[in-house]
Amino acid sequence: MTTTTDSPTSSGSFARDERVIRVRVSGFLRRAFAALCDLALLFALTAAVTVTVALVLHVPTPGLRELGPDLLVAGILDRNPMAVGAVGLFLGMTGLYQLYFAGMAGQSLGMRLVGIRVISARGEPPGPGRGLLRLVALAPSVLPAGLGWLWALFDREHRALHDHLAGTYVIVEE
């Protein structure tokens, strides 16, 4: 990977300084484990907020035997405000979480746990613009059965579709 920086010369003009940084790209299993950790955290936060709101509003909550994906799907199909709100909350929190942690900070909590980070081609955290592009590109990467994300299994640099579209790399932290 080559990065280019501008540095001033003695005449006051700027000269291009190209340097090569050597990094080790993250493997698919590390990325998958980091993503599962992030999803577990986001599911737990969404569930905690949803249950708290249901208790405050005195909305009847289902028992443990009734919990499952079919409860959520039935609630969405019935346009239950609590189910629709929970899905909206999860999607909103996931978007903000990815935008801030993976985009601007360069490392989500799951990534920190497994020792990987997201960088741009210059070796820096992606930043807000590239982070937003990566977030938007995450939808076509995940929605068609996760095929864009599984692309990282076969890519030489283990980059998923959203990494290619945003110009980011997931590397092992040294």
Side-chain angles (χ1 to χ4, degrees), residues 44-102:
L45 287 172
T46 301
V49 170
T50 302
V51 167
T52 302
V53 168
L55 291 174
V56 168
L57 296 177
H58 303 292
V59 174
T61 55
L64 289 177
R65 291 180 147 207
E66 299 169 332
L67 290 178
D70 57 333
L71 176 71
L72 185 62
V73 171
I76 292 170
L77 292 175
D78 291 341
R79 296 186 182 153
N80 180 321
M82 289 301 293
V84 173
V87 170
L89 178 65
F90 175 75
L91 292 174
M93 284 185 3
T94 301
L96 290 174
Y97 181 87
Q98 285 296 320
L99 181 61
Y100 177 74
F101 284 110

Side-chain angles (χ1 to χ4, degrees), residues 27-37 149:
F28 182 80
L29 289 179
R30 271 191 189 205
R31 289 185 69 161
F33 187 73
L36 287 176
C37 290
W149 209 81

Side-chain angles (χ1 to χ4, degrees), residues 102-161:
M104 294 174 62
Q107 191 175 42
S108 69
L109 298 176
M111 289 176 167
R112 180 171 292 184
L113 181 68
V114 299
I116 59 178
R117 73 170 38 269
V118 179
I119 61 169
S120 68
R122 292 183 173 245
E124 302 164 345
R130 197 172 300 276
L132 182 60
L133 180 59
R134 190 172 192 269
L135 173 64
V136 170
L138 192 59
S141 188
V142 172
L143 285 181
L147 294 177
W149 209 81
L150 290 174
W151 182 344
L153 273 171
F154 307 102
D155 189 78
R156 182 175 53 97
E157 296 173 322
H158 299 288
R159 293 171 70 195
L161 176 63

